[in-house]
Amino acid sequence: MGAVGQIQPLVLQPWFLGLQAVPVLAFIGAAVWRRRAEQLARNPRLRRQRQVAKIIRDGLAELRRSAAANDSEAFFATVVRLLQERLGERLDVPASAITEAVIEEKLRPRGVPEPLLKDLQELFQLCNQVRYAPIQSSQELTALIPRVESLLAQLEDLKP
């Protein structure tokens, strides 16, 4: 009877008490996950912001690969796509509707700072020029990446 008297009930075992918290934590986690999913489904602007943020992250990596491979066509196609995505998200228009004309039509009336408008125009013009006279140097492409990153960051700060 000495060995049987030494056994503690499960309720007094620490691992058993910890195990009881697992279903409660799983329920709370599922409820939080579902609430966030519903919130995202009800908010198309937030959904688009997250989608554009992912596109830009992936696009910046693609810019680096294109610059390293000295592929100026792919590089500038990506630059245009990233600008279109960011401007489209900020202006709440489809990305495919973004052209250089948007700068004058939509950004200038919103009071966007003149240096930003000038940089955007220059970058759009450079992208258009490259279609006819590609940049040959990988260093030139790599040197443009910080400029593109800076413009995208400034555009992100614009109020939608």
Side-chain angles (χ1 to χ4, degrees):
M1 187 162 199
V4 176
Q6 303 264 340
I7 297 176
Q8 291 182 338
L10 283 178
V11 175
L12 298 178
Q13 300 287 335
W15 63 267
F16 183 76
L17 292 174
L19 194 60
Q20 301 308 305
V22 171
V24 174
L25 293 175
F27 178 76
I28 291 170
V32 168
W33 179 77
R34 183 171 179 173
R35 174 175 267 162
R36 289 189 71 198
E38 288 173 354
Q39 180 184 16
L40 193 60
R42 284 191 310 262
N43 191 343
R45 182 169 288 246
L46 178 62
R47 191 172 49 240
R48 186 170 184 193
Q49 284 175 349
R50 289 185 179 181
Q51 181 183 20
V52 168
K54 182 183 180 335
I55 289 170
I56 288 183
R57 266 193 319 273
D58 296 344
L60 290 173
E62 190 177 320
L63 282 181
R64 288 182 178 77
R65 284 191 300 274
S66 296
N70 201 21
D71 186 357
S72 64
E73 284 184 36
F75 181 90
F76 285 101
T78 303
V79 168
V80 169
R81 191 187 70 206
L82 294 178
L83 288 174
Q84 286 176 324
E85 290 291 343
R86 175 62 75 201
L87 285 169
E89 181 256 324
R90 289 287 130 182
L91 298 173
D92 200 24
V93 296
S96 60
I98 302 296
T99 63
E100 189 177 347
V102 149
I103 295 169
E104 291 299 322
E105 295 170 1
K106 298 201 182 223
L107 292 178
R108 196 171 300 280
R110 291 178 120 201
V112 174
E114 193 62 36
L116 177 57
L117 295 175
K118 185 180 179 218
D119 286 345
L120 277 171
Q121 282 178 324
E122 288 175 4
L123 198 55
F124 269 116
Q125 288 170 357
L126 181 60
C127 290
N128 289 333
Q129 286 174 346
V130 168
R131 290 182 185 165
Y132 304 107
I135 291 180
Q136 300 299 324
S137 165
S138 176
Q139 290 84 11
E140 290 176 292
L141 296 176
T142 304
L144 283 172
I145 293 174
R147 184 175 174 192
V148 172
E149 289 174 333
S150 172
L151 276 173
L152 291 171
Q154 290 176 44
L155 289 172
E156 187 176 4
D157 293 339
L158 289 179
K159 292 179 184 174

